[in-house]
Amino acid sequence: MKSTVLKTTRASLAAFLAGLMLIALPLFGCSAPAEEPQKEPEPVESPDPVEKQDDANKDDAAKDGATSNSSEPALTGAISPTDTSAESPAPLGQAVELGIYSTGDKLYHAVYASIDKVTTTTEDSAYVEQCFADHNAVAPDFMQIDLASAELPDDVEICIVDYTVTVPEDFNAGEFGLSNVQQTLKASNPEGGGIPTKGGSYVGMGMVDELETEADAKYFPGNTYKLRGYFAMVKGYEDYVFDVMTYPEGTDSEDISGKSIYAYFAAR
């Protein structure tokens, strides 16, 4: 068994790889133990809410805050999470309806997310390095990442996932707007268990950590946002899917027990 950690310059992001374990498998008749189910997150309001703006200022901030702004986002063809599965994930570019908590009415409301592309270090190391450089250029000191100091097993590499989230104009953002639109993605083995590698399986691999694309990002209804994350994956393994836990439109944040569902996205 071994664990690996991606070091940072000021504050550790040890959660990225701290839980990564290599489980050796016998030659016949055994598989890696399944991962523990994720706990349902309790919705919380932003501890540092965006100051309320008048309509004119809010429109300007919305334009400045969106990496890609669209006054009428194209949502035609979006599908439900229940239309996806680990065996039949949403293809690249396919929008899937996901729920985001609203401070306006304490319900979950729909946004639309799609995976744009996945890039491995083997495929394009320059792009991977540039993504971290872009992050460090806008992230605060405590979030700086030193990619050069990453300590990974020989059969593991860093990957980048680029994805899009569109917030409808009628999203009930409440007084303070949306605190975040980033999604908690995880790259997982659709057959269950860990990520297979020669002679074993990595358990705990695949959690996606966010890379910042702009400083002090703010999120408002009616915009489309280009987002990015990074994760570790076994070199050459392409059979994984991304999953994300979500809640249906209209779910009451005070009554979420048993109501979570999963959406699945293809990586290739």
Side-chain angles (χ1 to χ4, degrees):
M1 180 179 298
K2 56 184 176 181
S3 62
T4 59
V5 178
L6 179 63
K7 296 179 179 177
T8 62
T9 56
R10 294 277 310 267
S12 174
L13 292 183
F16 175 61
L17 291 175
L20 181 62
M21 299 182 292
L22 177 62
I23 307 298
L25 298 182
L27 199 54
F28 301 100
C30 184
S31 61
E35 299 176 44
E36 294 183 0
Q38 299 181 25
K39 293 182 180 180
E40 296 181 352
E42 292 294 334
V44 295
E45 297 189 16
S46 172
D48 185 20
V50 179
E51 185 176 344
K52 186 176 181 181
Q53 303 167 321
D54 59 36
D55 291 341
N57 290 338
K58 183 174 181 180
D59 289 341
D60 291 341
K63 293 179 181 179
D64 292 339
T67 304
S68 175
N69 183 46
S70 174
S71 59
E72 295 183 0
L75 304 180
T76 303
I79 63 176
S80 167
T82 57
D83 293 328
T84 71
S85 67
E87 297 75 24
S88 182
L92 293 179
Q94 172 65 61
V96 179
E97 181 180 304
L98 302 178
I100 286 185
Y101 173 72
S102 168
T103 59
D105 55 14
K106 297 184 179 180
L107 302 178
Y108 283 84
H109 292 281
V111 299
Y112 300 88
S114 61
I115 302 294
D116 300 326
K117 67 175 181 176
V118 176
T119 307
T120 71
T121 299
T122 297
E123 291 168 338
D124 193 343
S125 60
Y127 180 72
V128 172
E129 292 172 2
Q130 186 60 54
C131 289
F132 281 90
D134 292 345
H135 165 89
N136 288 337
V138 298
D141 287 349
F142 70 90
M143 292 179 63
Q144 297 291 297
I145 302 172
D146 183 6
L147 183 60
S149 69
E151 298 176 357
L152 298 170
D154 292 339
D155 60 346
V156 174
E157 64 183 342
I158 297 296
C159 304
I160 301 293
V161 54
D162 288 281
Y163 66 101
T164 297
V165 173
T166 296
V167 185
E169 292 183 355
D170 61 355
F171 188 100
N172 184 353
E175 183 179 0
F176 304 118
L178 287 81
S179 60
N180 205 346
V181 297
Q182 296 169 343
Q183 298 298 310
T184 307
L185 297 168
K186 184 178 187 298
S188 59
N189 181 349
E191 296 181 357
I195 302 297
T197 188
K198 184 177 180 180
S201 179
Y202 283 104
V203 176
M205 176 177 284
M207 288 302 302
V208 176
D209 282 307
E210 291 297 321
L211 289 171
E212 300 300 317
T213 56
E214 58 183 298
D216 300 322
K218 297 177 177 63
Y219 306 102
F220 297 96
N223 289 323
T224 294
Y225 297 92
K226 296 292 185 179
L227 304 170
R228 185 178 292 154
Y230 70 103
F231 61 101
M233 184 51 59
V234 170
K235 295 177 181 177
Y237 179 70
E238 298 183 350
D239 293 335
Y240 61 90
V241 297
F242 291 104
D243 62 62
V244 59
M245 189 180 72
T246 187
Y247 293 96
E249 167 80 18
T251 299
D252 188 335
S253 64
E254 297 181 355
D255 183 25
I256 61 175
S257 179
K259 297 181 180 179
S260 64
I261 55 178
Y262 277 85
Y264 296 88
F265 299 85
R268 298 288 174 178

